[in-house]
Amino acid sequence: HALLHHRLLPRYLAQQRREVWAEVLPVPASDRRAGVMGLGVLGAPVARSLAELGFATAGWSRRAAAIDGVATFHGGDGLAAFLARTDILVCLLPLTAATANILDARLFAALPRGAVVINCARGDHLVEADLLAAGEQIVRVPPKLMAHARDAARTYGKSDPIDALAVARAALREP
């Protein structure tokens, strides 16, 4: 999924629907900052893989961790710095009392403009209303695309609004 966003596939899909072709020069993976939340059994291998693919990769967990080739952050103090340097955020956190609703308005506001959120975690990490509000307030998603994101959220559950917003974000950057 990270590669899908890195290669701007949502942007090209949005162009296809509008019958527009505007080629975009690819950005080297080394210029794209990937961040993995959760550096346990699932997150550590994902962070390593992204680093091996050439992404400037960081990871965040509640406790300190060390992964070769991955900048690591931990705890509440490290979260803000981690988010500020993350263009593609992958959430692989376990569901605990501390991680429930962690993908909320405050977290979205701390990400750089145009960041992509990929929620691979199971459970109630995502506050859907905050994601949809972030789409409207932070990236100014056009109403038609925002409506699509809301429909996806109602119809398919928690992961699809993220993809719908990624398409909307990509469309905003098109000429």
Side-chain angles (χ1 to χ4, degrees), residues 74-139:
H74 67 278
D77 293 338
L79 184 58
F82 166 77
L83 294 170
R85 54 84 47 220
T86 298
D87 299 316
I88 300 174
L89 176 67
V90 180
C91 180
L92 284 164
L93 290 166
L95 182 61
T96 67
T99 63
N101 299 317
I102 195 166
L103 300 176
D104 64 2
R106 194 172 58 233
L107 182 140
F108 300 137
L111 289 167
R113 180 176 171 78
V116 174
V117 177
I118 302 169
N119 181 20
C120 300
R122 294 182 294 167
D124 293 322
H125 297 90
L126 177 66
V127 179
E128 289 180 28
D130 289 355
L131 175 69
L132 296 173
E136 291 174 329
Q137 295 168 6
I138 295 170
V139 296

Side-chain angles (χ1 to χ4, degrees), residues 41-101:
V41 174
L42 298 176
V46 169
R48 271 190 221 96
S49 295
L50 289 167
E52 289 170 3
L53 288 169
F55 288 92
T57 305
W60 177 85
S61 57
R62 289 183 2 157
R63 292 181 205 87
I67 301 172
D68 286 340
V70 176
T72 57
F73 299 82
H74 67 278
D77 293 338
L79 184 58
F82 166 77
L83 294 170
R85 54 84 47 220
T86 298
D87 299 316
I88 300 174
L89 176 67
V90 180
C91 180
L92 284 164
L93 290 166
L95 182 61
T96 67
T99 63
N101 299 317

